[in-house]
């Protein structure tokens, strides 16, 4: 009996030590929580602060990966609204200060300060504070982002940036059924850090409960292009600049793009030309980058170096838009 008790005590102690290690050192047991939404599909639950694998993640009252904000910016603040997916969001693998939005805010400050030595330019771009609001979530597509913009508006931003990747051209309509069913979209905290590690990362994914089959769409690319046009319309109605940027997948370089991707990009180019959208296509930019092998962390998501390149390019274009407009 004594041996049994000793074994039980050692087992309990070991479990407790593992639990503390997972929680304190790695942040397990405290994942980001999602909420279902009829229009957006799903949102990150407001007002969350977690640390995952050493990376700080903060979600504000508007479900953005951004610190708390005022509903409208001060006069001296250049505010940009960034709409995106997991590339913009950064996920658990990106520290808050290393997200594209945070880097963009720093880059805007540096580029405006660099140009401030020219009195003519300084009078056109006269801001002392810079904010880039990160309205994004994993696997969002243009229709999720459109629903968000319709719900919340542009928050007094001077520019709206829609940052997509090639896969977003084929994104399905917003769906709330994944929340609480797919382990990537939990709607509550797990009972323990150990159970989360086992269920989410070590055990095979359990088949989800029966989900309603998505409605078949004859032209999913067309639906997403129309959503982009509607986002541009919201920006124009608010009298703010609109910029569309698309990052490629890693396997698109060279002649890697598949036929349907090439056709979808051609349709996107037609939309850009017809609607006179300011557009940054990162495929040729990445193809010319000497550091191409270091720009990705996987087939879609960018490395810190990739985030830096995207942020600098978009920020430079935003400043150019304001100078041109002035």
């Amino acid at each position: 009996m004594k041996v049994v008790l000793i074994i039980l005590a050692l087992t309990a102690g070991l479990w407790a030590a593992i639990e503390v290690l997972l929680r304190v050192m790695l942040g397990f047991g405290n994942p980001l929580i999602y909420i279902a939404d009829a229009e957006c599909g799903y949102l990150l639950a407001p007002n969350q602060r977690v640390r995952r694998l050493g990376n700080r993640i903060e979600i504000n009252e508007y479900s953005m990966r951004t610190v708390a904000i005022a509903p409208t910016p001060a006069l001296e603040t250049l505010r940009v609204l960034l709409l995106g997916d997991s590339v913009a969001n950064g996920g658990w693998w990106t520290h808050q200060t290393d997200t594209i939005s945070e880097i963009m805010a720093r880059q805007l400050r540096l580029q405006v300060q660099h140009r401030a030595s020219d009195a003519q330019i300084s009078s056109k771009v006269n801001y002392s504070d810079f904010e880039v609001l990160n309205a994004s979530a994993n696997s969002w597509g243009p229709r999720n982002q459109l629903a968000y913009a319709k719900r919340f508006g542009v928050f007094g931003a001077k520019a709206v940036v829609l940052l997509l990747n090639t896969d977003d051209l084929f994104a399905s309509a917003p769906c709330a059924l994944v929340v609480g069913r797919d382990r990537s979209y939990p709607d509550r905290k797990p009972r323990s850090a150990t159970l989360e590690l086992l269920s989410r990362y070590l055990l095979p994914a359990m088949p989800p409960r029966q989900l309603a089959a998505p409605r078949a769409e004859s032209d999913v690319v067309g639906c997403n292009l129309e959503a982009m046009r509607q986002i541009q319309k919201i920006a124009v109605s608010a009298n703010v600049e609109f910029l569309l940027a698309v990052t490629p997948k890693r396997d698109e370089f060279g002649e890697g793009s598949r036929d349907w991707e090439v056709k979808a990009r051609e349709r996107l180019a037609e939309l850009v030309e017809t609607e006179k959208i300011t557009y940054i296509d990162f495929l040729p930019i990445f193809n010319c980058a000497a550091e191409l092998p270091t720009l990705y962390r996987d087939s879609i998501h960018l490395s810190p170096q990739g985030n830096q390149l995207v942020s600098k390019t978009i920020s430079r274009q935003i400043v150019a838009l304001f100078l041109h407009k002035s």
Side-chain angles (χ1 to χ4, degrees):
M1 184 64 180
K2 183 180 294 185
V3 173
V4 173
L5 291 176
I6 292 174
I7 293 175
L8 289 175
L10 290 175
T11 302
L14 178 61
W15 177 84
I18 293 173
E19 183 75 12
V20 171
L21 175 66
L22 290 174
R23 284 185 177 273
V24 176
M25 301 296 294
L26 302 178
F28 286 105
N30 188 32
L32 288 173
I33 299 302
Y34 289 80
I35 56 175
D37 185 271
E39 287 77 36
C40 298
Y42 50 86
L43 295 163
L44 285 158
N47 302 311
Q48 301 185 72
R49 296 187 70 178
V50 306
R51 188 171 289 273
R52 199 73 163 177
L53 300 180
N55 295 315
R56 178 170 58 85
I57 304 172
E58 187 164 353
I59 309 299
N60 71 10
E61 63 271 43
Y62 299 106
S63 297
M64 299 173 178
R65 188 166 184 187
T66 302
V67 298
I69 62 168
T72 56
L75 291 176
E76 66 274 10
T77 299
L78 173 58
R79 174 177 285 183
V80 175
L81 174 62
L82 174 66
L83 297 167
D85 57 8
S86 55
V87 173
N89 186 273
W92 55 262
W93 56 87
T94 309
H95 193 280
Q96 190 84 8
T97 57
D98 296 328
T99 57
I100 287 175
S101 54
E102 292 284 336
I103 300 172
M104 278 179 59
R106 296 194 295 269
Q107 281 296 317
L108 285 170
R109 179 183 297 277
L110 288 173
Q111 291 182 28
V112 169
Q113 289 176 344
H114 177 70
R115 295 172 180 263
S117 57
D118 186 322
Q120 184 179 1
I121 292 177
S122 179
S123 64
K124 294 179 179 181
V125 186
N126 188 23
Y127 297 104
S128 59
D129 197 15
F130 302 86
E131 296 177 342
V132 180
L133 312 185
N134 191 333
S136 61
N138 293 349
S139 297
W140 263 12
R143 286 175 279 183
N144 304 86
Q145 294 139 1
L146 172 60
Y148 185 94
K150 285 183 174 179
R151 170 82 57 80
F152 294 104
V154 301
F155 298 93
K158 296 295 191 299
V160 173
V161 176
L162 178 59
L163 176 60
L164 306 175
N165 74 80
T166 303
D167 268 357
D168 291 328
L169 297 172
F170 309 95
S172 58
C175 178
L177 295 175
V178 296
V179 178
R181 301 184 181 189
D182 187 316
R183 63 186 183 182
S184 296
Y185 303 92
D187 60 354
R188 65 195 68 185
K189 300 294 184 183
R191 294 180 181 178
S192 75
T194 308
L195 288 177
E196 186 197 357
L197 176 65
L198 291 172
S199 64
R200 188 164 183 178
Y201 297 101
L202 299 182
L203 297 178
M206 296 294 290
R209 287 173 285 179
Q210 187 64 38
L211 301 178
R215 180 171 58 88
E217 295 178 308
S218 59
D219 185 10
V220 65
V221 174
C223 291
N224 286 313
L225 292 176
E226 175 59 21
M228 296 177 208
R229 193 182 70 81
Q230 291 294 327
I231 295 172
Q232 181 205 22
K233 186 176 179 181
I234 290 174
V236 171
S237 298
N239 195 30
V240 303
E241 298 289 348
F242 177 71
L243 190 154
L244 171 65
V246 178
T247 60
K249 296 188 297 183
R250 191 169 189 165
D251 58 11
E252 289 186 81
F253 297 111
E255 298 181 357
S257 295
R258 292 166 286 193
D259 289 344
W260 60 88
E261 293 170 339
V262 172
K263 291 177 181 177
R265 280 181 165 271
E266 288 174 349
R267 293 181 64 183
L268 174 60
E270 291 174 3
L271 174 71
V272 166
E273 183 177 358
T274 301
E275 300 297 331
K276 295 180 172 55
I277 296 173
T278 302
Y279 175 48
I280 301 176
D281 182 0
F282 279 99
L283 180 56
I285 294 174
F286 280 17
N287 257 329
C288 294
E291 67 271 29
L292 177 60
T294 68
L295 296 180
Y296 286 83
R297 68 177 304 273
D298 56 31
S299 62
I300 291 178
H301 301 106
L302 303 175
S303 66
Q305 293 90 337
N307 283 350
Q308 287 282 347
L309 178 54
V310 167
S311 301
K312 288 180 180 179
T313 305
I314 295 176
S315 299
R316 190 180 303 118
Q317 183 63 63
I318 289 172
V319 173
L321 282 173
F322 282 114
L323 294 178
H324 177 73
K325 184 177 181 180
S326 300

